[in-house]
């Protein structure tokens, strides 16, 4: 019996000493934020595991829509993943919109805005919003990644008129919220890139890149 108790204690010590691993990824568009296909999704879509040999138990922290791109954090620590869903973590997005966006539209998005999410009317929280130039920089001072200036596919023909880039920083994450916000003020989204989560940003990553990072929690919790 003593031996069995010792084995249990040893197993508990091993579990406690297992280090969690954390990653950041530049998710390309048309990639699913999951590791296995489900019946609801088309089987020809690429998955996160197609880009890196992640350890068992890795999960995405939050999500990015299939047609969106940019920064995605992943971890083997479920506690961190759950804490990310609160309203205290800033997520910054760069959104390319149809048309020359106005200061009036920017100010409308900064304030509470009514949008429809899955058939229900909701009001967004006040957020940070500004017009940016393609060669601008993120709030952290890092240059825009080259892939932001070179999309995977052609967004639109110049003859269809100008486009604008805006930065929108949220502390919430309703379904397709950024896209709905820009459309609500009259500027349909053409491209959406998440560039920052808390203090972690894309830096010079290219589409499909995956990097191990030492910690996540102290950066945004």
């Amino acid at each position: 019996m003593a031996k069995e108790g010792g084995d249990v204690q040893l197993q508990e010590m091993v579990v406690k000493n297992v280090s969690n691993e954390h990653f950041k990824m530049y998710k390309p568009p048309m990639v699913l934020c999951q590791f296995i296909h489900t019946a609801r999704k088309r089987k020809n879509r690429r998955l996160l595991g197609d880009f890196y040999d992640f350890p068992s138990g890795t999960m995405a922290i939050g999500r990015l829509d299939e047609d969106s791109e940019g920064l995605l954090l992943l971890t083997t620590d479920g506690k961190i993943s759950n804490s990310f869903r609160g309203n205290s973590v800033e997520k910054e997005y760069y959104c390319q919109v149809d048309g020359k966006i106005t200061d009036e539209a920017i100010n409308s998005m900064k304030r509470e805005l009514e949008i429809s999410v899955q058939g229900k009317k909701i009001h967004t929280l006040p957020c940070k919003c500004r017009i940016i130039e393609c060669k601008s920089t993120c709030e952290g001072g890092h240059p825009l990644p080259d892939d932001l200036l070179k999309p995977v596919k052609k967004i639109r023909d110049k003859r269809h008129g100008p486009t604008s880039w805006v930065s929108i920083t949220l502390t919430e994450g309703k379904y397709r919220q950024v896209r709905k916000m820009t459309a609500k003020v009259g500027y349909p989204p053409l491209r959406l890139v998440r560039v920052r989560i808390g203090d972690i940003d894309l830096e010079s990553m290219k589409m499909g890149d995956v990097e191990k990072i030492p910690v996540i929690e102290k950066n945004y919790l």
Side-chain angles (χ1 to χ4, degrees):
M1 294 296 293
K3 184 177 185 300
E4 290 180 1
D7 287 343
V8 171
Q9 290 180 347
L10 178 60
Q11 290 173 3
E12 289 177 347
M13 289 176 63
V14 170
V15 170
K16 289 180 181 179
N17 288 318
V18 171
S19 296
N20 284 298
E21 295 185 79
H22 317 292
F23 308 86
K24 69 175 184 177
M25 175 182 183
Y26 187 150
K27 185 191 90 68
M30 312 318 294
V31 172
L32 303 179
C33 278
Q34 57 196 54
F35 289 92
I36 59 173
H37 283 108
T38 62
R40 296 177 59 189
K41 295 291 185 178
R42 284 177 285 179
K43 302 292 185 181
N44 63 339
R45 289 301 187 215
R46 290 181 295 171
L47 305 175
L48 300 177
D50 295 334
F51 296 87
Y52 189 85
D53 185 16
F54 292 100
S56 176
T58 299
M59 64 197 80
I61 301 177
R63 64 187 298 277
L64 275 174
D65 294 326
E66 180 181 350
D67 51 349
S68 299
E69 61 187 275
L71 181 63
L72 182 68
L73 300 181
L74 303 101
T75 183
T76 57
D77 189 339
K79 292 182 180 179
I80 290 179
S81 181
N82 289 334
S83 63
F84 175 81
R85 295 178 174 85
N87 286 343
S88 61
V89 183
E90 284 193 345
K91 281 83 70 175
E92 182 180 8
Y93 300 83
Y94 280 10
C95 186
Q96 186 180 17
V97 299
D98 185 6
K100 191 71 172 177
I101 197 165
T102 64
D103 290 335
E104 181 181 2
I106 292 292
N107 289 332
S108 293
M109 288 191 289
K110 286 181 179 179
R111 299 188 294 267
E112 184 181 279
L113 195 66
E114 183 183 89
I115 59 175
S116 177
V117 176
Q118 297 178 326
K120 296 181 179 180
K121 298 292 184 180
I122 64 105
H123 289 86
T124 63
L125 296 175
C127 69
K128 300 176 184 177
C129 187
R130 61 188 173 90
I131 299 174
I132 59 174
E133 301 294 337
C134 286
K135 295 183 179 180
S136 181
T137 58
C138 302
E139 286 189 8
H142 297 286
L144 288 175
D146 291 340
D147 284 350
L148 190 57
L149 306 178
K150 300 174 182 177
V152 171
K153 61 181 181 178
K154 191 172 184 179
I155 299 299
R156 64 174 300 161
D157 196 297
K158 290 183 179 179
R159 63 185 176 180
H160 293 152
T163 65
S164 307
W165 282 92
V166 296
S167 165
I168 300 176
T169 302
L170 308 175
T171 55
E172 57 181 339
K174 301 294 191 299
Y175 179 66
R176 298 180 76 81
Q177 180 173 341
V178 174
R179 295 178 182 275
K180 292 176 181 292
M181 288 172 63
T182 63
K184 177 72 175 184
V185 297
Y187 297 87
L190 300 174
R191 191 176 177 201
L192 183 62
V193 186
R194 185 160 64 194
V195 297
R196 181 172 63 86
I197 301 174
D199 294 331
I200 304 173
D201 58 41
L202 279 178
E203 300 184 274
S204 58
M205 295 182 74
K206 297 184 181 299
M207 283 189 189
D209 283 355
V210 177
E211 297 179 5
K212 290 190 69 172
I213 53 180
V215 292
I216 290 180
E217 56 263 52
K218 78 175 185 180
N219 285 289
Y220 69 82
L221 296 185

